[in-house]
């Protein structure tokens, strides 16, 4: 019987979001062909994926000698074939591990951002990548624009790199003219009002205050934001102070697709992305997309064909596109159907599974 390849996926954050979601989605679709192990902080959101024999607990966004030793023991005892680092913190940890083993290491960036305004952090990150990046056996970019961004900023990527797009499950397309969905209390979630939905962690990267400014320019449209995060109290205080009442922050929702189906438009105001699963999920049900024209977002859908890209910070342009979509149901249907088709053709779960399966088998042959 042929030995199954063993892969250890590591992330130094388990906060609910795109990176951890991607890890477990990937692990799930590959589990029939590979043995998947996880190293990440404890999390109630992902506990259903974790068992004693496939998981080790590591510190949240922290490199510790204890974690290094735990991973070294796991790699030796379980004879791990491939180490896969998801994000910067995990890359530091596994690059250290690679100095003590001959195990191939894969590094997936999951969104590169160097415009924080902190020159020291930018210089430190570039120096780190260009000194230690050679330790990676292969680098994975989740979008072409992310790879281009790395090259433009002189981040060492070497010759061994590949773009593998994220993928999501194919779903049934929404009914653009009538879709009724009720919550447990029997309240109608859809009604007939145009609804804009955004799904994100409430962190600086997601640029939530730009979303709020856009909502102020289109007061007759209802906005819903699904997700938790450290900025929640600051956001709620801002809404109350400025008497903004057309935005509802709903927190984390396990029935996300109920809300996507009952919405009219998906909005992303992010400063940067790798390749956002939230946009892909919105496309999978046929929502037209309005998003900032930044790395990651610009790979997901086609401007004016399946949604609209607007320049980061240009809230008037965003509001113009939003009014255009809000006032024309036939346009929303046309663009939504195009986004639905594009997701199935390029960003399906099956395509991602096939690409990663081939990639891991090729890595094992090196």
């Amino acid at each position: 019987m042929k030995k199954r390849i063993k892969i250890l996926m590591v992330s130094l954050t388990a906060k609910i979001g795109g990176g951890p979601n991607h890890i477990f989605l990937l692990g799930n679709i590959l589990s029939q062909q590979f043995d998947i192990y996880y190293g990440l902080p404890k999390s109630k959101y992902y506990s259903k994926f974790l068992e004693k024999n496939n998981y080790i607990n590591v510190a949240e966004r922290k490199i510790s000698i204890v974690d290094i030793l735990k991973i070294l023991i796991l790699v030796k005892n379980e004879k791990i074939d491939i180490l896969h680092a998801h994000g910067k913190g995990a890359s530091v940890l596994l690059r250290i591990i690679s100095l003590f083993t001959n195990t191939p290491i894969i590094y997936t960036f999951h969104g590169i951002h160097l415009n924080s305004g902190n020159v020291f952090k930018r210089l430190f990150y570039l120096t780190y990548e260009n000194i230690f990046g050679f330790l990676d056996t292969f680098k994975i970019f989740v979008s072409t624009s992310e790879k281009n961004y790395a090259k433009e900023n002189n981040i060492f990527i070497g010759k061994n790199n590949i773009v593998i797009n994220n993928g999501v499950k194919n779903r049934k397309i929404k009914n653009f003219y009538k879709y009724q969905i009720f919550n447990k209390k029997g309240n109608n979630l859809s009604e007939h009002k145009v609804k804009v939905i955004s799904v994100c962690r409430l962190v600086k990267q997601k640029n939530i205050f730009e979303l709020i400014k856009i909502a102020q320019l289109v007061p007759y449209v209802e906005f819903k934001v699904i997700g938790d995060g450290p900025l929640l109290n600051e956001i709620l205080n801002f809404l109350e102070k400025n008497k903004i009442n057309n935005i509802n922050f709903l927190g984390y929702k396990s029935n996300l697709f109920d809300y996507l189906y009952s919405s009219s438009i998906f909005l992303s105001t992010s400063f940067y992305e790798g390749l956002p699963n939230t946009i892909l999920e919105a496309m999978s049900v046929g929502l037209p997309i309005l998003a900032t024209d930044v790395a990651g977002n610009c790979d997901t859908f086609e401007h004016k064909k399946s949604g609209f890209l607007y320049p980061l910070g240009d809230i008037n342009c965003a509001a113009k596109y939003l009014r255009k979509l809000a006032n024309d149901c036939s346009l929303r249907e046309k663009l939504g159907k195009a986004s639905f088709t594009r997701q199935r053709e390029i960003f399906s779960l099956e395509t991602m599974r096939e690409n990663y399966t081939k990639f891991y088998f090729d890595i094992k042959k090196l």
Side-chain angles (χ1 to χ4, degrees):
M1 183 176 179
K2 189 174 181 181
K3 178 180 176 292
R4 285 163 63 95
I5 296 174
K6 296 183 177 183
I7 304 166
L8 172 63
M9 298 189 184
V10 177
S11 169
L12 291 198
T13 181
K15 295 184 183 300
I16 193 163
N21 284 346
H22 174 78
I23 291 173
F24 290 110
L25 182 64
L26 188 59
N28 185 51
I29 63 174
L30 295 175
S31 61
Q32 291 185 352
Q33 294 174 284
F34 304 92
D35 290 336
I36 308 296
Y37 297 76
Y38 301 100
L40 73 164
K42 288 182 179 179
S43 169
K44 64 180 181 180
Y45 297 112
Y46 302 110
S47 59
K48 64 181 179 180
F49 296 101
L50 305 174
E51 303 171 1
K52 287 185 178 179
N53 63 348
N54 77 341
Y55 164 67
I56 56 171
N57 176 39
V58 300
E60 177 81 27
R61 299 187 184 279
K62 181 181 178 182
I63 305 298
S64 76
I65 294 176
V66 172
D67 289 341
I68 292 171
L69 292 175
K70 286 194 296 187
I71 293 177
L72 280 171
I73 291 170
L74 177 71
V75 171
K76 179 180 179 181
N77 290 346
E78 298 296 330
K79 296 181 173 56
I80 299 296
D81 296 295
I82 297 172
L83 302 172
H84 194 157
H86 293 266
K88 292 191 288 290
S91 78
V92 176
L93 189 60
L94 291 189
R95 284 169 179 172
I96 294 172
I97 298 295
S98 72
L99 296 174
F100 299 94
T101 72
N102 292 319
T103 312
I105 174 173
I106 311 305
Y107 175 28
T108 299
F109 286 88
H110 287 300
I112 306 169
H113 181 54
L114 297 173
N115 297 323
S116 66
N118 190 317
V119 177
F120 174 77
K121 285 185 178 180
R122 176 189 174 95
L123 181 61
F124 179 82
Y125 175 70
L126 288 173
T127 302
Y128 160 72
E129 282 295 341
N130 290 325
I131 291 177
F132 297 103
F134 75 93
L135 293 172
D136 303 333
T137 307
F138 236 93
K139 301 180 194 294
I140 295 178
F141 297 94
V142 296
S143 66
T144 301
S145 62
E146 183 183 55
K147 178 178 178 178
N148 291 339
Y149 185 84
K151 293 168 68 175
E152 290 165 5
N153 287 276
N154 298 312
I155 295 174
F156 174 79
I157 63 174
K159 294 181 179 179
N160 292 340
N161 64 79
I162 189 172
V163 175
I164 302 181
N165 291 322
N166 291 346
V168 296
K169 182 179 178 180
N170 293 344
R171 296 184 182 269
K172 182 179 178 181
I173 196 166
K174 71 179 264 96
N175 185 319
F176 292 89
Y177 293 94
K178 183 179 180 181
Y179 192 94
Q180 300 294 320
I181 186 75
F182 295 86
N183 64 15
K184 292 180 180 179
K185 295 181 179 180
N187 297 321
N188 194 322
L189 295 176
S190 60
E191 301 173 355
H192 297 287
K193 195 172 184 179
V194 171
K195 296 178 184 295
V196 174
I197 189 169
S198 185
V199 182
C200 62
R201 287 199 70 234
L202 305 182
V203 294
K204 184 178 179 181
Q205 174 199 347
K206 303 304 180 179
N207 196 19
I208 301 299
F209 286 96
E210 182 156 303
L211 182 151
I212 295 172
K213 292 176 182 177
I214 294 169
Q216 287 179 287
L217 296 178
V218 197
Y220 59 89
V221 169
E222 183 178 336
F223 292 75
K224 294 182 184 295
V225 180
I226 293 178
D228 293 318
L231 294 180
L232 178 59
N233 289 335
E234 182 182 348
I235 290 167
L236 295 179
N237 289 336
F238 183 86
L239 295 179
E240 183 178 0
K241 181 180 178 180
N242 292 276
K243 298 180 180 179
I244 302 169
N245 54 23
N246 63 327
I247 309 178
N248 291 312
F249 284 81
L250 304 178
Y252 170 76
K253 296 293 181 183
S254 59
N255 61 332
L256 169 62
F257 283 91
D258 288 348
Y259 288 88
L260 289 176
Y261 274 115
S262 64
S263 298
S264 314
I265 303 160
F266 187 91
L267 172 62
S268 170
T269 54
S270 294
F271 283 116
Y272 65 96
E273 293 285 354
L275 189 75
N277 280 346
T278 53
I279 289 183
L280 301 185
E281 287 170 339
M283 293 169 66
S284 76
V285 304
L287 283 178
I289 312 298
L290 174 62
T292 46
D293 189 4
V294 297
N297 282 353
C298 64
D299 298 81
T300 54
F301 66 97
E302 296 176 284
H303 180 57
K304 296 185 178 181
K305 291 185 178 181
S306 41
F308 296 104
L309 291 163
Y310 76 91
L312 180 66
D314 193 342
I315 61 172
N316 290 314
C317 179
K320 179 189 73 173
Y321 286 137
L322 195 52
R323 293 188 196 100
K324 189 172 184 178
L325 287 167
N327 296 332
D328 191 340
C329 185
S330 62
L331 177 63
R332 296 198 301 272
E333 180 181 23
K334 176 184 175 182
L335 299 184
K337 285 182 175 178
S339 75
F340 174 83
T341 300
R342 181 173 170 85
Q343 178 272 317
R344 287 184 169 235
E345 291 178 346
I346 304 176
F347 304 112
S348 73
L349 211 56
E350 180 59 25
T351 298
M352 184 172 76
R353 186 191 68 78
E354 291 174 356
N355 289 336
Y356 270 100
T357 298
K358 182 180 184 304
F359 173 77
Y360 284 135
F361 278 122
D362 288 345
I363 288 296
K364 192 64 177 68
K365 294 175 184 177
L366 292 178

